[in-house]
Amino acid sequence: MTQNNPSSKNDQRAVRLEKLQKMRDEGTQPFPDRYECTHDIKAACDLKPGDTVRTAGRIMLSRNMGKLTFAHIQDLGAKIQVCLQRDLVGAEAYKWFGKMADIGDFVGVEGEIFHTKTGELTIRVKDYIFLSKSLHPLPEKWHGLVDIEACWRQRYLDLIMNDETRKRFLFRSKLISTMRRFLDDNGFVEVETPIIQTKPSGARARPFITHHNSLDMVAYLRIAPETYLKRLIVGGFNRVYEFARCFRNEGMDPSHLQDFTMLEYYSAYWNYEDNIAFTQKFVKYIIGELFGTLKIRCGENEINFDGEWPRMSFRELILRDSGIDIAEFEAAEPMCAAIKARGIEIESIDELNIAALTDQLYKKVSQPKLIDPLFLTGHPIELSPLARCNDENAKITDRFQLVINGWEVVNAYSELIDPIDQCRRFEDQARMKEEGDDEAMPMDEDYLTAMEYGMPPNSGWGMGIDRFVSLLTDSANLRDVVLFPLMKPVGGAKPAPKQAATGSGAPKAEADEKIDDAGITRERALELLSQNVTGKVLRCHSLASGAVMKALAERLGRNPQVWEIAGIVHDLDFDRVQDEDRHTLETAEILRKEGAHPALVQAVLAHNAEGLGLERKTEFDFALTCCESITGLIAATALIMPDKKLASVKAKSVVKRMKKKDFARKVNRDLVLLCEEVGLSLEEFAALGLKAMQSISDDLGL
RNA sequence: GCGCCAGUAGCUCAGUUGGCAGAGCAGCUGAUUCUUAAUCAGCGGGUCGUAGGUUCGAGUCCUAUCUGGCGUACCA
């Protein structure tokens, strides 16, 4: 009957688990530790009929013809057909393969290369070894995985199923190694500079802000490696480069990632002219090495990297494409009028200063037309706070961008090495910041000091690697060239803790008086406790915290039901998360879903204020923290009694134990002392806590 | 942020005016010693993104919400 048929369970994974169990039962190791290959699959494909081979891969297709089975096995580099003949591998082994091996499993095969009747290169398997079980069916063999979201979230599936994905990422790796080789061969030294920084400088962008716990200070993820690499120029590294992961907290779209890779290099004694020459050599080398030609297709365009690349200034380009000569304008208003007069539309045009206006105008009228490589020069000084000012024209900088297919691929300039000028530029930026430009750079004194020790003339260079890869692989979205792009978690992103603590700014009394309903019942709290908490110790800790909270609420004239519930549920996720610092986030999520009162959720979060970088604000917050903390101390005190009973414990001995640091070391004494924040002395609090725990001593087993 | 679109079996997709939720691949049982998305016969498989609502009846209509795409604005 169908009841005995595993397939009726509607679970392909269950079928595979059953096969796995069968393998174990019969003594076959389904997950062996190694297999020795003579060739990878790509190498096997180059063999001649008659050659023998041992290779391994993932089974992608299987066609059973009765006493003959064809299958395809695949690795990152290639796939090859294998052929199992019953008469060659033996009846037992042949039958076993048919029963046990699924599409997606790994197998090692040994045999002789031959051509099938239709001419396909195939391994005639003499012997095989099962190498690993796949518990999930792979995506459909013909269409493969096309859901773009799945490709990003489960890149490994994308890599298994899609040949171009494999090629694209191999290309990216090869590109980076080619760049590295060229730079190394030209006397550059690869270095690593800090990602966590105290000042976000080196570019105009909004940083990710984080908190450094042990220094208790704001820290930033770097937006660019620039100022550190230039410190190295000061330090005597004449040619340095870094493949730098950078982070910018800005919009997410097909051409912007929050976490991206920039290559920057700096060479002492070069100006931007030297750099232009080097750039052309560098990029041509890379294209030649990777494509074997200097003309490549990109979408509808063919990009020609051959020949001498043209140079044009902002002014020339804009004049050519719009008829506006930006040199004629001293202020924003007349330029704005000129732009409007020509019917060119720029968003919030009236709010832009002259530099931003120039930039926007260029992006609108010129940038999309630039397909073949072009060096764009003559950038306004306001847009280039770290670039050297031009000796002839103080309004522009010695800077260039390499534009390819409408994208700014490279940005480079003669570096500003005059510390006095640099200081002034920082001050200008600071002013712009005050005026509301939140991308303007902050003052960076430490960098200025480095400059004041003397920086040789030099020119620096930066390239967005992801964009370059995207350009060269004709990828529409930058996330296609990053292995694991950032995605919102399925089921909703967790709000930042600060947002979670809504209303926490309210004064203590006010916040507390509002809580007359926890939002969940005591019964539900206990249910949640047994669902989420498996450990006995944690369960007792939760119940004890509830009891102490209840007693404290009665003492302070607060709502005992609500406070008890807070104690019961405060550590729901601790068993799962197993991380002092990170726990409570999941608990808060559970409670929110249950409809718990926001103040309760906040108190729960705040009991781990240290770990999460939060602040305790309300009486409720402090109460939960100190109650939860003292339970451990009281329980530990009970355990050293001869009868290990709470009944034998005196409040005085609990207080004494506070001072012995080695006793119950995990209990944070500072948190227990927070009882003073709610107006109780340690003595009174210890007595209250002890009494509360004694009242439920049976439940606690103490 | 805003606007438009999408989410149905493990995968790729149908689903009419609101009327019993479908196909192919994958899986299971069997046939098959040269297949190429093998083929043939049979079987099983669903929280229609989630939560509400309208209705005798909702995959379909309404509201909210989640996830994603594309466009738009700012940044590389």
PDB file of all heavy atoms in Angstrom, chain A residues 517-549:
ATOM      1  N   ASP A 517      -1.079  46.880  31.574  1.00  0.00           N
ATOM      2  CA  ASP A 517      -1.343  45.624  30.890  1.00  0.00           C
ATOM      3  C   ASP A 517      -0.069  45.224  30.142  1.00  0.00           C
ATOM      4  O   ASP A 517       0.442  45.973  29.324  1.00  0.00           O
ATOM      5  CB  ASP A 517      -2.501  45.821  29.906  1.00  0.00           C
ATOM      6  CG  ASP A 517      -2.839  44.528  29.171  1.00  0.00           C
ATOM      7  OD1 ASP A 517      -2.166  43.494  29.425  1.00  0.00           O
ATOM      8  OD2 ASP A 517      -3.749  44.571  28.343  1.00  0.00           O
ATOM      9  N   ALA A 518       0.445  44.056  30.452  1.00  0.00           N
ATOM     10  CA  ALA A 518       1.698  43.619  29.834  1.00  0.00           C
ATOM     11  C   ALA A 518       1.527  43.352  28.351  1.00  0.00           C
ATOM     12  O   ALA A 518       2.490  43.309  27.609  1.00  0.00           O
ATOM     13  CB  ALA A 518       2.214  42.366  30.535  1.00  0.00           C
ATOM     14  N   GLY A 519       0.280  43.150  27.936  1.00  0.00           N
ATOM     15  CA  GLY A 519       0.046  42.805  26.535  1.00  0.00           C
ATOM     16  C   GLY A 519       0.007  41.300  26.325  1.00  0.00           C
ATOM     17  O   GLY A 519      -0.536  40.809  25.347  1.00  0.00           O
ATOM     18  N   ILE A 520       0.580  40.561  27.285  1.00  0.00           N
ATOM     19  CA  ILE A 520       0.448  39.101  27.248  1.00  0.00           C
ATOM     20  C   ILE A 520       0.108  38.624  28.655  1.00  0.00           C
ATOM     21  O   ILE A 520       0.380  39.314  29.643  1.00  0.00           O
ATOM     22  CB  ILE A 520       1.735  38.389  26.747  1.00  0.00           C
ATOM     23  CG1 ILE A 520       2.931  38.728  27.639  1.00  0.00           C
ATOM     24  CG2 ILE A 520       2.035  38.732  25.314  1.00  0.00           C
ATOM     25  CD1 ILE A 520       4.171  37.949  27.277  1.00  0.00           C
ATOM     26  N   THR A 521      -0.484  37.460  28.760  1.00  0.00           N
ATOM     27  CA  THR A 521      -0.892  36.952  30.066  1.00  0.00           C
ATOM     28  C   THR A 521       0.239  36.187  30.717  1.00  0.00           C
ATOM     29  O   THR A 521       1.220  35.815  30.054  1.00  0.00           O
ATOM     30  CB  THR A 521      -2.081  35.990  29.912  1.00  0.00           C
ATOM     31  OG1 THR A 521      -1.633  34.884  29.107  1.00  0.00           O
ATOM     32  CG2 THR A 521      -3.252  36.665  29.213  1.00  0.00           C
ATOM     33  N   ARG A 522       0.103  35.956  32.026  1.00  0.00           N
ATOM     34  CA  ARG A 522       1.098  35.168  32.757  1.00  0.00           C
ATOM     35  C   ARG A 522       1.149  33.748  32.191  1.00  0.00           C
ATOM     36  O   ARG A 522       2.227  33.186  32.021  1.00  0.00           O
ATOM     37  CB  ARG A 522       0.706  35.131  34.238  1.00  0.00           C
ATOM     38  CG  ARG A 522       1.706  34.409  35.116  1.00  0.00           C
ATOM     39  CD  ARG A 522       1.332  34.533  36.579  1.00  0.00           C
ATOM     40  NE  ARG A 522       2.385  33.971  37.420  1.00  0.00           N
ATOM     41  CZ  ARG A 522       2.440  32.684  37.768  1.00  0.00           C
ATOM     42  NH1 ARG A 522       1.514  31.848  37.346  1.00  0.00           N
ATOM     43  NH2 ARG A 522       3.431  32.256  38.533  1.00  0.00           N
ATOM     44  N   GLU A 523      -0.045  33.228  31.858  1.00  0.00           N
ATOM     45  CA  GLU A 523      -0.106  31.868  31.299  1.00  0.00           C
ATOM     46  C   GLU A 523       0.693  31.805  29.997  1.00  0.00           C
ATOM     47  O   GLU A 523       1.458  30.881  29.759  1.00  0.00           O
ATOM     48  CB  GLU A 523      -1.559  31.449  31.020  1.00  0.00           C
ATOM     49  CG  GLU A 523      -2.364  31.059  32.245  1.00  0.00           C
ATOM     50  CD  GLU A 523      -2.617  32.230  33.189  1.00  0.00           C
ATOM     51  OE1 GLU A 523      -2.712  33.401  32.693  1.00  0.00           O
ATOM     52  OE2 GLU A 523      -2.692  32.014  34.395  1.00  0.00           O
ATOM     53  N   ARG A 524       0.471  32.833  29.153  1.00  0.00           N
ATOM     54  CA  ARG A 524       1.162  32.854  27.863  1.00  0.00           C
ATOM     55  C   ARG A 524       2.678  32.981  28.077  1.00  0.00           C
ATOM     56  O   ARG A 524       3.466  32.363  27.379  1.00  0.00           O
ATOM     57  CB  ARG A 524       0.634  34.030  27.029  1.00  0.00           C
ATOM     58  CG  ARG A 524       1.187  34.107  25.616  1.00  0.00           C
ATOM     59  CD  ARG A 524       0.841  32.872  24.795  1.00  0.00           C
ATOM     60  NE  ARG A 524       1.584  32.876  23.537  1.00  0.00           N
ATOM     61  CZ  ARG A 524       2.046  31.790  22.928  1.00  0.00           C
ATOM     62  NH1 ARG A 524       1.823  30.592  23.459  1.00  0.00           N
ATOM     63  NH2 ARG A 524       2.693  31.883  21.791  1.00  0.00           N
ATOM     64  N   ALA A 525       3.048  33.779  29.081  1.00  0.00           N
ATOM     65  CA  ALA A 525       4.469  33.956  29.383  1.00  0.00           C
ATOM     66  C   ALA A 525       5.091  32.616  29.762  1.00  0.00           C
ATOM     67  O   ALA A 525       6.183  32.267  29.307  1.00  0.00           O
ATOM     68  CB  ALA A 525       4.646  34.973  30.504  1.00  0.00           C
ATOM     69  N   LEU A 526       4.365  31.855  30.589  1.00  0.00           N
ATOM     70  CA  LEU A 526       4.893  30.549  31.011  1.00  0.00           C
ATOM     71  C   LEU A 526       4.962  29.586  29.828  1.00  0.00           C
ATOM     72  O   LEU A 526       5.899  28.801  29.713  1.00  0.00           O
ATOM     73  CB  LEU A 526       4.017  29.959  32.132  1.00  0.00           C
ATOM     74  CG  LEU A 526       4.148  30.700  33.470  1.00  0.00           C
ATOM     75  CD1 LEU A 526       3.087  30.241  34.465  1.00  0.00           C
ATOM     76  CD2 LEU A 526       5.548  30.507  34.069  1.00  0.00           C
ATOM     77  N   GLU A 527       3.955  29.691  28.954  1.00  0.00           N
ATOM     78  CA  GLU A 527       3.969  28.860  27.746  1.00  0.00           C
ATOM     79  C   GLU A 527       5.202  29.175  26.899  1.00  0.00           C
ATOM     80  O   GLU A 527       5.913  28.275  26.451  1.00  0.00           O
ATOM     81  CB  GLU A 527       2.729  29.172  26.900  1.00  0.00           C
ATOM     82  CG  GLU A 527       1.655  28.099  26.909  1.00  0.00           C
ATOM     83  CD  GLU A 527       0.444  28.585  26.142  1.00  0.00           C
ATOM     84  OE1 GLU A 527       0.552  28.839  24.922  1.00  0.00           O
ATOM     85  OE2 GLU A 527      -0.598  28.741  26.792  1.00  0.00           O
ATOM     86  N   LEU A 528       5.425  30.486  26.701  1.00  0.00           N
ATOM     87  CA  LEU A 528       6.590  30.912  25.910  1.00  0.00           C
ATOM     88  C   LEU A 528       7.872  30.406  26.545  1.00  0.00           C
ATOM     89  O   LEU A 528       8.812  30.000  25.865  1.00  0.00           O
ATOM     90  CB  LEU A 528       6.629  32.435  25.808  1.00  0.00           C
ATOM     91  CG  LEU A 528       5.582  33.072  24.904  1.00  0.00           C
ATOM     92  CD1 LEU A 528       5.551  34.577  25.089  1.00  0.00           C
ATOM     93  CD2 LEU A 528       5.850  32.718  23.447  1.00  0.00           C
ATOM     94  N   LEU A 529       7.873  30.411  27.877  1.00  0.00           N
ATOM     95  CA  LEU A 529       9.066  29.962  28.597  1.00  0.00           C
ATOM     96  C   LEU A 529       9.331  28.493  28.289  1.00  0.00           C
ATOM     97  O   LEU A 529      10.444  28.128  27.938  1.00  0.00           O
ATOM     98  CB  LEU A 529       8.875  30.180  30.101  1.00  0.00           C
ATOM     99  CG  LEU A 529      10.087  29.847  30.974  1.00  0.00           C
ATOM    100  CD1 LEU A 529      11.222  30.802  30.674  1.00  0.00           C
ATOM    101  CD2 LEU A 529       9.722  29.902  32.448  1.00  0.00           C
ATOM    102  N   SER A 530       8.280  27.658  28.379  1.00  0.00           N
ATOM    103  CA  SER A 530       8.554  26.237  28.131  1.00  0.00           C
ATOM    104  C   SER A 530       8.831  25.962  26.654  1.00  0.00           C
ATOM    105  O   SER A 530       9.550  25.032  26.324  1.00  0.00           O
ATOM    106  CB  SER A 530       7.427  25.346  28.666  1.00  0.00           C
ATOM    107  OG  SER A 530       6.197  25.929  28.413  1.00  0.00           O
ATOM    108  N   GLN A 531       8.279  26.815  25.768  1.00  0.00           N
ATOM    109  CA  GLN A 531       8.568  26.613  24.342  1.00  0.00           C
ATOM    110  C   GLN A 531      10.004  26.972  24.000  1.00  0.00           C
ATOM    111  O   GLN A 531      10.631  26.338  23.162  1.00  0.00           O
ATOM    112  CB  GLN A 531       7.646  27.485  23.480  1.00  0.00           C
ATOM    113  CG  GLN A 531       6.278  26.877  23.262  1.00  0.00           C
ATOM    114  CD  GLN A 531       5.291  27.904  22.728  1.00  0.00           C
ATOM    115  OE1 GLN A 531       5.694  28.966  22.261  1.00  0.00           O
ATOM    116  NE2 GLN A 531       4.020  27.598  22.804  1.00  0.00           N
ATOM    117  N   ASN A 532      10.500  28.017  24.626  1.00  0.00           N
ATOM    118  CA  ASN A 532      11.792  28.556  24.201  1.00  0.00           C
ATOM    119  C   ASN A 532      12.979  28.135  25.059  1.00  0.00           C
ATOM    120  O   ASN A 532      14.101  28.131  24.590  1.00  0.00           O
ATOM    121  CB  ASN A 532      11.744  30.086  24.162  1.00  0.00           C
ATOM    122  CG  ASN A 532      10.887  30.585  23.020  1.00  0.00           C
ATOM    123  OD1 ASN A 532      11.319  30.609  21.891  1.00  0.00           O
ATOM    124  ND2 ASN A 532       9.640  30.932  23.307  1.00  0.00           N
ATOM    125  N   VAL A 533      12.671  27.816  26.329  1.00  0.00           N
ATOM    126  CA  VAL A 533      13.774  27.535  27.244  1.00  0.00           C
ATOM    127  C   VAL A 533      13.793  26.058  27.563  1.00  0.00           C
ATOM    128  O   VAL A 533      12.816  25.505  28.069  1.00  0.00           O
ATOM    129  CB  VAL A 533      13.616  28.372  28.530  1.00  0.00           C
ATOM    130  CG1 VAL A 533      14.617  27.926  29.568  1.00  0.00           C
ATOM    131  CG2 VAL A 533      13.796  29.841  28.213  1.00  0.00           C
ATOM    132  N   THR A 534      14.882  25.403  27.239  1.00  0.00           N
ATOM    133  CA  THR A 534      14.970  23.971  27.479  1.00  0.00           C
ATOM    134  C   THR A 534      15.793  23.655  28.727  1.00  0.00           C
ATOM    135  O   THR A 534      15.535  22.672  29.414  1.00  0.00           O
ATOM    136  CB  THR A 534      15.598  23.270  26.253  1.00  0.00           C
ATOM    137  OG1 THR A 534      16.739  24.027  25.843  1.00  0.00           O
ATOM    138  CG2 THR A 534      14.619  23.212  25.104  1.00  0.00           C
ATOM    139  N   GLY A 535      16.751  24.485  29.023  1.00  0.00           N
ATOM    140  CA  GLY A 535      17.635  24.214  30.151  1.00  0.00           C
ATOM    141  C   GLY A 535      16.952  24.452  31.493  1.00  0.00           C
ATOM    142  O   GLY A 535      16.186  25.390  31.653  1.00  0.00           O
ATOM    143  N   LYS A 536      17.223  23.562  32.453  1.00  0.00           N
ATOM    144  CA  LYS A 536      16.600  23.656  33.772  1.00  0.00           C
ATOM    145  C   LYS A 536      17.063  24.919  34.498  1.00  0.00           C
ATOM    146  O   LYS A 536      16.275  25.620  35.113  1.00  0.00           O
ATOM    147  CB  LYS A 536      16.987  22.412  34.584  1.00  0.00           C
ATOM    148  CG  LYS A 536      15.889  21.942  35.535  1.00  0.00           C
ATOM    149  CD  LYS A 536      16.387  20.791  36.401  1.00  0.00           C
ATOM    150  CE  LYS A 536      15.655  19.501  36.068  1.00  0.00           C
ATOM    151  NZ  LYS A 536      16.213  18.320  36.765  1.00  0.00           N
ATOM    152  N   VAL A 537      18.347  25.177  34.420  1.00  0.00           N
ATOM    153  CA  VAL A 537      18.926  26.301  35.146  1.00  0.00           C
ATOM    154  C   VAL A 537      18.293  27.619  34.679  1.00  0.00           C
ATOM    155  O   VAL A 537      17.883  28.454  35.477  1.00  0.00           O
ATOM    156  CB  VAL A 537      20.460  26.360  34.939  1.00  0.00           C
ATOM    157  CG1 VAL A 537      21.046  27.587  35.618  1.00  0.00           C
ATOM    158  CG2 VAL A 537      21.104  25.094  35.467  1.00  0.00           C
ATOM    159  N   LEU A 538      18.203  27.758  33.364  1.00  0.00           N
ATOM    160  CA  LEU A 538      17.656  28.991  32.817  1.00  0.00           C
ATOM    161  C   LEU A 538      16.176  29.122  33.167  1.00  0.00           C
ATOM    162  O   LEU A 538      15.684  30.210  33.461  1.00  0.00           O
ATOM    163  CB  LEU A 538      17.851  29.023  31.294  1.00  0.00           C
ATOM    164  CG  LEU A 538      17.404  30.317  30.598  1.00  0.00           C
ATOM    165  CD1 LEU A 538      18.139  31.514  31.161  1.00  0.00           C
ATOM    166  CD2 LEU A 538      17.628  30.220  29.104  1.00  0.00           C
ATOM    167  N   ARG A 539      15.480  27.982  33.184  1.00  0.00           N
ATOM    168  CA  ARG A 539      14.062  27.991  33.530  1.00  0.00           C
ATOM    169  C   ARG A 539      13.883  28.491  34.967  1.00  0.00           C
ATOM    170  O   ARG A 539      13.056  29.352  35.251  1.00  0.00           O
ATOM    171  CB  ARG A 539      13.507  26.571  33.382  1.00  0.00           C
ATOM    172  CG  ARG A 539      12.018  26.491  33.503  1.00  0.00           C
ATOM    173  CD  ARG A 539      11.518  25.046  33.424  1.00  0.00           C
ATOM    174  NE  ARG A 539      10.283  24.952  34.188  1.00  0.00           N
ATOM    175  CZ  ARG A 539       9.132  25.452  33.758  1.00  0.00           C
ATOM    176  NH1 ARG A 539       9.061  26.035  32.592  1.00  0.00           N
ATOM    177  NH2 ARG A 539       8.051  25.369  34.518  1.00  0.00           N
ATOM    178  N   CYS A 540      14.698  27.947  35.866  1.00  0.00           N
ATOM    179  CA  CYS A 540      14.627  28.372  37.268  1.00  0.00           C
ATOM    180  C   CYS A 540      14.995  29.845  37.394  1.00  0.00           C
ATOM    181  O   CYS A 540      14.359  30.590  38.137  1.00  0.00           O
ATOM    182  CB  CYS A 540      15.588  27.533  38.122  1.00  0.00           C
ATOM    183  SG  CYS A 540      15.022  25.838  38.310  1.00  0.00           S
ATOM    184  N   HIS A 541      16.008  30.243  36.665  1.00  0.00           N
ATOM    185  CA  HIS A 541      16.438  31.641  36.699  1.00  0.00           C
ATOM    186  C   HIS A 541      15.281  32.551  36.279  1.00  0.00           C
ATOM    187  O   HIS A 541      15.044  33.593  36.890  1.00  0.00           O
ATOM    188  CB  HIS A 541      17.638  31.842  35.776  1.00  0.00           C
ATOM    189  CG  HIS A 541      17.966  33.280  35.477  1.00  0.00           C
ATOM    190  ND1 HIS A 541      18.436  34.155  36.429  1.00  0.00           N
ATOM    191  CD2 HIS A 541      17.855  33.999  34.332  1.00  0.00           C
ATOM    192  CE1 HIS A 541      18.622  35.354  35.882  1.00  0.00           C
ATOM    193  NE2 HIS A 541      18.264  35.282  34.602  1.00  0.00           N
ATOM    194  N   SER A 542      14.546  32.137  35.246  1.00  0.00           N
ATOM    195  CA  SER A 542      13.443  32.946  34.740  1.00  0.00           C
ATOM    196  C   SER A 542      12.315  33.030  35.762  1.00  0.00           C
ATOM    197  O   SER A 542      11.776  34.112  36.019  1.00  0.00           O
ATOM    198  CB  SER A 542      12.916  32.350  33.434  1.00  0.00           C
ATOM    199  OG  SER A 542      13.954  32.268  32.484  1.00  0.00           O
ATOM    200  N   LEU A 543      11.969  31.878  36.347  1.00  0.00           N
ATOM    201  CA  LEU A 543      10.894  31.869  37.353  1.00  0.00           C
ATOM    202  C   LEU A 543      11.295  32.700  38.561  1.00  0.00           C
ATOM    203  O   LEU A 543      10.494  33.468  39.112  1.00  0.00           O
ATOM    204  CB  LEU A 543      10.585  30.429  37.771  1.00  0.00           C
ATOM    205  CG  LEU A 543       9.948  29.561  36.675  1.00  0.00           C
ATOM    206  CD1 LEU A 543       9.813  28.121  37.148  1.00  0.00           C
ATOM    207  CD2 LEU A 543       8.583  30.119  36.278  1.00  0.00           C
ATOM    208  N   ALA A 544      12.550  32.556  38.973  1.00  0.00           N
ATOM    209  CA  ALA A 544      13.042  33.308  40.130  1.00  0.00           C
ATOM    210  C   ALA A 544      12.987  34.806  39.840  1.00  0.00           C
ATOM    211  O   ALA A 544      12.543  35.603  40.680  1.00  0.00           O
ATOM    212  CB  ALA A 544      14.471  32.876  40.452  1.00  0.00           C
ATOM    213  N   SER A 545      13.404  35.179  38.619  1.00  0.00           N
ATOM    214  CA  SER A 545      13.378  36.593  38.259  1.00  0.00           C
ATOM    215  C   SER A 545      11.958  37.120  38.320  1.00  0.00           C
ATOM    216  O   SER A 545      11.710  38.243  38.771  1.00  0.00           O
ATOM    217  CB  SER A 545      13.927  36.780  36.841  1.00  0.00           C
ATOM    218  OG  SER A 545      15.239  36.279  36.753  1.00  0.00           O
ATOM    219  N   GLY A 546      11.024  36.293  37.848  1.00  0.00           N
ATOM    220  CA  GLY A 546       9.613  36.677  37.904  1.00  0.00           C
ATOM    221  C   GLY A 546       9.162  36.921  39.328  1.00  0.00           C
ATOM    222  O   GLY A 546       8.512  37.938  39.633  1.00  0.00           O
ATOM    223  N   ALA A 547       9.544  36.009  40.213  1.00  0.00           N
ATOM    224  CA  ALA A 547       9.127  36.125  41.613  1.00  0.00           C
ATOM    225  C   ALA A 547       9.708  37.377  42.260  1.00  0.00           C
ATOM    226  O   ALA A 547       9.010  38.120  42.967  1.00  0.00           O
ATOM    227  CB  ALA A 547       9.569  34.876  42.381  1.00  0.00           C
ATOM    228  N   VAL A 548      10.988  37.635  41.986  1.00  0.00           N
ATOM    229  CA  VAL A 548      11.636  38.798  42.592  1.00  0.00           C
ATOM    230  C   VAL A 548      11.028  40.088  42.031  1.00  0.00           C
ATOM    231  O   VAL A 548      10.781  41.046  42.773  1.00  0.00           O
ATOM    232  CB  VAL A 548      13.170  38.751  42.363  1.00  0.00           C
ATOM    233  CG1 VAL A 548      13.833  39.985  42.966  1.00  0.00           C
ATOM    234  CG2 VAL A 548      13.768  37.488  42.960  1.00  0.00           C
ATOM    235  N   MET A 549      10.768  40.084  40.717  1.00  0.00           N
ATOM    236  CA  MET A 549      10.144  41.257  40.102  1.00  0.00           C
ATOM    237  C   MET A 549       8.777  41.531  40.729  1.00  0.00           C
ATOM    238  O   MET A 549       8.419  42.680  40.998  1.00  0.00           O
ATOM    239  CB  MET A 549       9.978  41.039  38.589  1.00  0.00           C
ATOM    240  CG  MET A 549      11.219  41.297  37.775  1.00  0.00           C
ATOM    241  SD  MET A 549      11.728  43.023  37.788  1.00  0.00           S
ATOM    242  CE  MET A 549      10.691  43.702  36.486  1.00  0.00           C
TER     243      MET A 549
END
